[in-house]
Amino acid sequence: MNGGKIVNNRLDNADLISNVLKLIDDAVIKYHEANKRETTDKIHVTEATGCLRYAYFRRTVELKPEANYYTFMGTAIHDAILKFITDRTEIHVENDVLEGYADAIVEINGRKYVLELKTVKRLPQKPYKSHIEQVNCYMNMLGIDKGIIVYVQRSDGNKAVFVVDRDPDLFTVTLDKARYLKKCLDENKPPKIKDESFCFMCPFRKQCEKESS
Ligand code: SF4
């Protein structure tokens, strides 16, 4: 026994509890702020390979900062693992349209691979289309023919590993989407191309519905 007093979630402790919860939420908000990337004139690889409308609203709509634990858990685990895979945690890639950060380049049995690490609630049977497109961008921009997407299940660390071949045609499609997004941003018009697999957790649903009607 250490003699500490256990305070539980009772009404008479409501003020204390709300202060403690605020401390924790504020820490998560600060983590997001510290890890936020500046947007530039170039389209980010994750913007061009995800929902283009989401990318548009993210750049044009100001959101009240909030503690997003879903993103926080994913980013924190992702960054912690990468830190110990390579001392260069990310590799900056850039061309005239796109820019981004590949997680790592690893060499296994004499062959180089672009490594893309994802944390997930449940392991997928096959890699998500947007993740293939993302790693394909890095492979094309780095001139590496093979990529590996690793999914790590957050609850127990189980993993699924997928090897991806470089696809120049898919890269052309992504570049076209990036140019289209840039045009939409320049013209202040939300893009028509969207990826609805992300809608369930999108903070821009209201704006998206309004602009569609
Ligand atoms: S609600 Fe869905 S389609 Fe609309 S911006 Fe968000 S993710 Fe994209």
Side-chain angles (χ1 to χ4, degrees):
M1 290 285 287
N2 60 13
K5 188 176 173 193
I6 297 169
V7 177
N8 62 18
N9 195 356
R10 291 197 334 241
L11 204 56
D12 53 348
N13 293 318
D15 186 46
L16 168 65
I17 288 162
S18 82
N19 277 308
V20 171
L21 295 181
K22 186 172 177 325
L23 262 184
I24 294 169
D25 284 351
D26 285 352
V28 170
I29 290 172
K30 281 183 198 153
Y31 179 89
H32 288 314
E33 289 298 316
N35 286 286
K36 208 161 139 189
R37 290 215 174 95
E38 293 302 318
T39 48
T40 67
D41 274 356
K42 292 192 177 170
I43 300 300
H44 201 279
V45 167
T46 52
E47 292 180 309
T49 56
C51 175
L52 295 192
R53 278 172 84 79
Y54 171 84
Y56 175 90
F57 291 127
R58 192 144 191 259
R59 285 190 183 227
T60 56
V61 176
E62 185 105 18
L63 284 180
K64 193 169 150 266
E66 64 176 50
N68 182 333
Y69 282 84
Y70 184 88
T71 312
F72 169 69
M73 303 287 188
T75 314
I77 296 169
H78 172 272
D79 291 354
I81 294 175
L82 270 190
K83 195 170 164 193
F84 292 97
I85 288 181
T86 165
D87 48 1
R88 290 166 62 198
T89 48
E90 291 176 312
I91 296 140
H92 184 243
V93 291
E94 189 171 13
N95 65 16
D96 57 327
V97 190
L98 279 175
E99 71 170 333
Y101 295 86
D103 279 346
I105 298 171
V106 291
E107 199 166 323
I108 299 169
N109 296 334
R111 185 187 266 279
K112 277 188 180 173
Y113 297 84
V114 177
L115 179 75
E116 187 59 33
L117 185 65
K118 301 288 182 196
T119 61
V120 283
K121 191 173 173 193
R122 214 164 292 117
L123 294 178
Q125 296 296 316
K126 54 184 185 168
Y128 293 102
K129 208 172 133 267
S130 60
H131 296 161
I132 296 175
E133 205 176 331
Q134 188 185 345
V135 77
N136 186 56
C137 285
Y138 304 139
M139 286 151 70
N140 278 278
M141 290 161 95
L142 290 163
I144 294 177
D145 286 334
K146 295 268 181 193
I148 303 177
I149 304 173
V150 182
Y151 292 97
V152 180
Q153 191 159 272
R154 269 178 232 133
S155 58
D156 55 13
N158 279 342
K159 293 163 207 69
V161 179
F162 301 96
V163 177
V164 180
D165 289 319
R166 186 163 72 90
D167 180 344
D169 294 338
L170 178 61
F171 186 49
T172 304
V173 171
T174 312
L175 287 174
D176 286 345
K177 286 198 291 176
R179 288 190 190 99
Y180 170 63
L181 174 59
K182 177 96 179 65
K183 184 168 173 284
C184 292
L185 285 162
D186 290 345
E187 294 174 357
N188 292 319
K189 284 186 196 148
K192 299 238 179 290
I193 302 173
K194 52 187 173 180
D195 174 358
E196 290 175 324
S197 56
F198 181 63
C199 296
F200 74 99
M201 56 172 286
C202 177
F204 302 114
R205 275 187 305 234
K206 255 195 221 146
Q207 289 87 348
C208 186
E209 278 163 25
K210 197 169 141 228
E211 296 286 350
S212 302
S213 54

